[in-house]
Amino acid sequence: MHRQRGRLAAVLLALSCLALPSAWAAAPAAEAGQASLQQVLMGHALVLRGQIDGRALQLSLQPKKNEDGLEGRYFFFGGSPEILVAGEVDGDDFIMEESINGRDVSGQWEGHREGQSITGTWSSADGSITKPFALQLP
């Protein structure tokens, strides 16, 4: 993942210039229960809600255009800037890097699907801070 930081920074910078559609399609609950996380996340854009260390957030994800992987953004309820994310999903595991400014990696997400949830660990860019997260699949 470290060797892709330059490419990720370019993708994040390009994303920061785009406006996301106001309406997102969500995966039907039946599909989410039967398909792998990769199939659910790579099939179409969707919105997930959850928390990092108890702080409520909303994460919008979509498949990258013209290449493999995911891209999107999230924000914390109660006021926060949108934070850009980009990453990869393999089966029921996923990893994403985030950027607050669209250039520098500010954190990393590593998660695994457990039923209708994705749980894992968010960590700061230098790895000195880690926090648990949980997201609900639609």
Side-chain angles (χ1 to χ4, degrees), residues 13 24 27 37 42 44 51 78 81 84 99 102 115-116 118 121 125 138:
L13 181 59
W24 289 89
L37 181 61
M42 296 305 292
H44 43 76
Q51 53 84 24
L84 302 173
S99 177
Q116 289 300 110
I118 302 170
T121 303

Side-chain angles (χ1 to χ4, degrees), residues 87-100:
E88 301 170 354
V89 62
D90 183 19
D92 282 332
D93 298 314
F94 88 113
I95 187 167
M96 295 189 305
E97 290 182 332
E98 67 176 42
S99 177
I100 294 171

Side-chain angles (χ1 to χ4, degrees), residues 30-50:
E31 177 186 336
Q34 298 171 0
S36 73
L37 181 61
Q38 183 171 5
Q39 292 168 318
V40 172
L41 295 180
M42 296 305 292
H44 43 76
L46 56 100
V47 175
L48 305 170
R49 290 192 176 187

Side-chain angles (χ1 to χ4, degrees), residues 81-133:
E82 288 190 328
I83 301 169
L84 302 173
V85 294
E88 301 170 354
V89 62
D90 183 19
D92 282 332
D93 298 314
F94 88 113
I95 187 167
M96 295 189 305
E97 290 182 332
E98 67 176 42
S99 177
I100 294 171
N101 64 12
R103 292 180 305 276
D104 304 313
V105 174
S106 55
Q108 182 169 299
W109 301 57
E110 290 188 44
H112 180 79
R113 179 181 185 172
E114 295 180 13
Q116 289 300 110
S117 299
I118 302 170
T119 59
T121 303
W122 173 92
S123 57
S124 60
D126 65 2
S128 65
I129 301 170
T130 62
K131 297 179 180 183
F133 74 82

Side-chain angles (χ1 to χ4, degrees), residues 41-46 61-65 67-71:
L41 295 180
M42 296 305 292
H44 43 76
L46 56 100
L61 290 173
Q62 64 187 19
K64 288 182 183 178
K65 293 178 174 57
E67 63 181 285
D68 291 336
L70 299 168
E71 61 189 14

